[in-house]
């Protein structure tokens, strides 16, 4: 069963920031790590990743820098800023509230029993 893309699009910034919380990464590395951690569920394309990263940069959540790779060609790495760490924490809390509410509704809900 294919995952509904509308469910994924709003959470991709959160997922990318979560990847960068652990370590600085370059684009292809993020794509592969996201695929791996999601058990091959998320297949982010470079054409979607880089505009997302640029948007996170504009908000001050990530910073980019270049570092020379083993082959001698520089790679552009991304780093989660302190402002990005704070935003990540807020986004994670919001996502968890949302996911809990969805689980409640899908499970029949316990919130309104006896009302």
């Amino acid at each position: 069963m294919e995952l509904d893309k509308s469910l994924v699009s709003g959470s991709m910034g959160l997922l990318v920031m979560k990847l960068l919380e652990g370590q600085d990464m370059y684009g292809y590395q993020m794509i592969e790590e996201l695929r791996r951690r999601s058990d091959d569920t998320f297949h982010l394309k470079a054409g979607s990743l880089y505009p997302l990263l640029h948007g996170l940069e504009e908000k001050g959540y990530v910073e980019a820098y270049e570092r020379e790779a083993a082959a001698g060609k520089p790679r552009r790495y991304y780093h989660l800023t302190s402002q990005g760490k704070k935003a990540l924490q807020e986004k994670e809390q919001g996502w968890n509230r949302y996911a809990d509410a969805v689980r409640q509704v899908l499970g029949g809900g316990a919130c309104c029993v006896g009302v």
Side-chain angles (χ1 to χ4, degrees), residues 34-78:
L34 184 61
R35 185 191 56 75
R36 186 189 68 75
R37 286 195 200 179
S38 71
D39 197 23
D40 213 23
T41 299
F42 298 130
H43 295 263
L44 188 59
K45 305 262 190 261
S48 299
L49 175 63
Y50 289 106
L52 176 65
L53 287 168
H54 294 306
L56 293 173
E57 267 187 296
E58 287 175 8
K59 291 177 181 174
Y61 296 166
V62 300
E63 294 175 339
Y65 63 93
E66 287 192 358
R67 184 170 30 171
E68 199 166 309
K73 183 179 177 186
R75 279 197 177 130
R76 191 167 183 84
Y77 281 80
Y78 294 86

Side-chain angles (χ1 to χ4, degrees), residues 5-48:
K5 291 183 194 277
S6 68
L7 294 174
V8 176
S9 65
S11 60
M12 202 49 66
L14 167 66
L15 299 177
V16 167
M17 288 169 54
K18 188 65 178 179
L19 291 177
L20 294 174
E21 180 186 45
Q23 70 181 56
D24 294 1
M25 294 181 166
Y26 57 91
Y28 182 74
Q29 185 181 16
M30 284 183 250
I31 291 169
E32 287 300 305
E33 185 65 12
L34 184 61
R35 185 191 56 75
R36 186 189 68 75
R37 286 195 200 179
S38 71
D39 197 23
D40 213 23
T41 299
F42 298 130
H43 295 263
L44 188 59
K45 305 262 190 261
S48 299

